[in-house]
Amino acid sequence: MPATLDNQLVVALSARALFDFEEENQVFEAQDDTAYMQLQLSRLESAAKPGCAFPLVKKLLALNTTGEQRVEVIIVSRNDPVSGLRVFRSADHHGLGLTRGVFTRGRPAYRYLTPLGANLFLSAHEEDVRNALQAGYPAARVFAQSAIEADRHPHEIRIAFDGDAVLFSDEAERVYQSQGLPAFTEHERSKAFQPLPPGPFKPLLDAIHKLQLATANDSPIKIRTALVTARSAPAHERAIRTLMGWNISVDEAMFLGGLEKGPFLKEFEPDFFFDDQTRHCQSAAFAGPVGHVVSGVANELVVPAE
């Protein structure tokens, strides 16, 4: 029988999402891919430092047991195959046990999410992230400047999500952007019992919720989730009722009414936080790893007038 990834949480991520290759990337941008390849090869025996997604990946892989593979992490990278040698060497050094990888040497990498059946794609390359989101995969651009503390709360995986344009569609966000807060509040009050359409990260939350239930009784590592949103009462009700309608629960919910998210995330200490707005990502970056979900009205590309 061929190998299969069925019934596993499949996380696909680029080399720069998992490891700190920012110095090497500067060489690539200043020179070319040949110089980059030579530099990576010269550093083959030097393990790369953890990158933005490292704490999350390390903890998710710890959910696997000798008898059951629950999480599969796969490198899907624009790196060349030679540079991929250092990626796997670094993963082995850090005890991650990665065995699968796709290296495209500059070509779009997101295309391989389909045969992998990926539940999440993390990359430093915005174009790949946008394309993955358009193809229907939960995807985020990692913030390389995020604070990384790999050893905090070692027995708990903490993942936080924004609401509108992330877990939910950007339907309500469009009302806010075009008509202002009073119209947004009235819109959400009137539709409190009407579920919000799912956003790009609803499938990931669903998969994590199922993994949370499956590991609750037999894993020393627990999963804890949070909704961190700029919504406030009465707009909170529609968000909660939507989650209830999906039969998905979160452990914490923060309705901040426009307050800066960073200080609240600092207390939650997420292993990863997903938000669609750059300003919230910047605020959250000092609290832990952040992924920018490049979707929704806040991220629509503006075409210059001719």
Side-chain angles (χ1 to χ4, degrees):
M1 293 289 292
T4 178
L5 299 176
D6 292 347
N7 302 315
Q8 296 181 46
L9 180 74
V10 179
V11 178
L13 74 169
S14 70
R16 284 175 63 199
L18 183 59
F19 295 117
D20 181 359
F21 284 149
E22 296 310 303
E23 181 180 329
E24 290 85 348
N25 188 62
Q26 290 176 9
V27 172
F28 172 80
E29 293 180 349
Q31 300 182 48
D32 55 26
D33 66 337
T34 301
Y36 174 86
M37 184 192 311
Q38 291 173 344
L39 178 60
Q40 290 283 38
L41 192 58
S42 72
R43 296 181 174 182
L44 188 59
E45 303 302 326
S46 177
K49 295 179 181 178
C52 186
F54 185 92
L56 177 64
V57 164
K58 183 178 180 180
K59 289 183 179 182
L60 284 173
L61 287 172
L63 293 172
N64 293 328
T65 66
T66 53
E68 187 172 5
Q69 183 83 7
R70 291 163 166 161
V71 177
E72 178 72 17
V73 176
I74 302 168
I75 301 295
V76 178
S77 172
R78 286 183 177 234
N79 264 300
D80 60 273
V82 173
S83 299
L85 290 173
R86 189 177 181 217
V87 175
F88 278 117
R89 286 278 189 96
S90 297
D92 184 64
H93 171 85
H94 290 287
L96 296 183
L98 305 189
T99 61
R100 292 184 169 95
V102 176
F103 301 93
T104 65
R105 193 172 185 179
R107 294 292 178 89
Y110 76 94
R111 297 174 296 132
Y112 294 97
L113 301 179
T114 298
L116 291 173
N119 298 106
L120 174 63
F121 177 55
L122 298 174
S123 174
H125 200 281
E126 184 171 318
E127 182 184 354
D128 273 348
V129 169
R130 284 186 180 273
N131 286 328
L133 286 163
Q134 290 173 4
Y137 294 96
R141 178 178 65 86
V142 295
F143 261 49
Q145 64 269 37
S146 299
I148 301 172
E149 296 180 38
D151 296 325
R152 65 185 183 183
H153 48 83
H155 299 295
E156 205 166 60
I157 301 169
R158 301 182 187 178
I159 306 176
F161 301 88
D162 178 33
D164 297 289
V166 178
L167 292 182
F168 316 125
S169 78
D170 68 343
E171 170 200 298
E173 180 67 22
R174 288 183 180 275
V175 174
Y176 174 76
Q177 293 285 350
S178 62
Q179 302 177 46
L181 182 58
F184 166 84
T185 301
E186 181 54 35
H187 180 270
E188 293 305 281
R189 187 199 300 270
S190 67
K191 296 180 180 292
F193 289 86
Q194 180 178 327
L196 283 154
F201 271 66
K202 189 263 185 177
L204 177 63
L205 180 63
D206 187 31
I208 288 174
H209 182 63
K210 291 176 180 176
L211 184 62
Q212 185 180 35
L213 296 176
T215 58
N217 297 323
D218 63 358
S219 175
I221 299 177
K222 307 303 178 184
I223 301 174
R224 190 168 185 84
T225 57
L227 169 64
V228 183
T229 172
R231 285 175 177 252
S232 58
H236 75 295
E237 185 170 347
R238 191 180 185 195
I240 293 299
R241 288 188 177 277
T242 297
L243 292 173
M244 292 171 61
W246 293 345
N247 198 29
I248 297 175
S249 62
V250 293
D251 298 292
E252 299 189 26
M254 306 176 201
F255 299 100
L256 302 181
L259 292 175
E260 188 178 351
K261 294 184 179 181
F264 293 88
L265 288 162
K266 184 69 173 178
E267 298 303 320
F268 182 70
E269 295 187 327
D271 293 301
F272 226 92
F273 170 59
F274 298 99
D275 201 292
D276 69 302
Q277 297 197 33
T278 303
R279 65 186 181 91
H280 292 316
C281 292
Q282 291 170 339
S283 171
F286 80 95
V290 174
H292 179 205
V293 181
V294 195
S295 69
V297 62
N299 293 289
E300 289 181 346
L301 292 172
V302 178
V303 179
E306 294 184 358

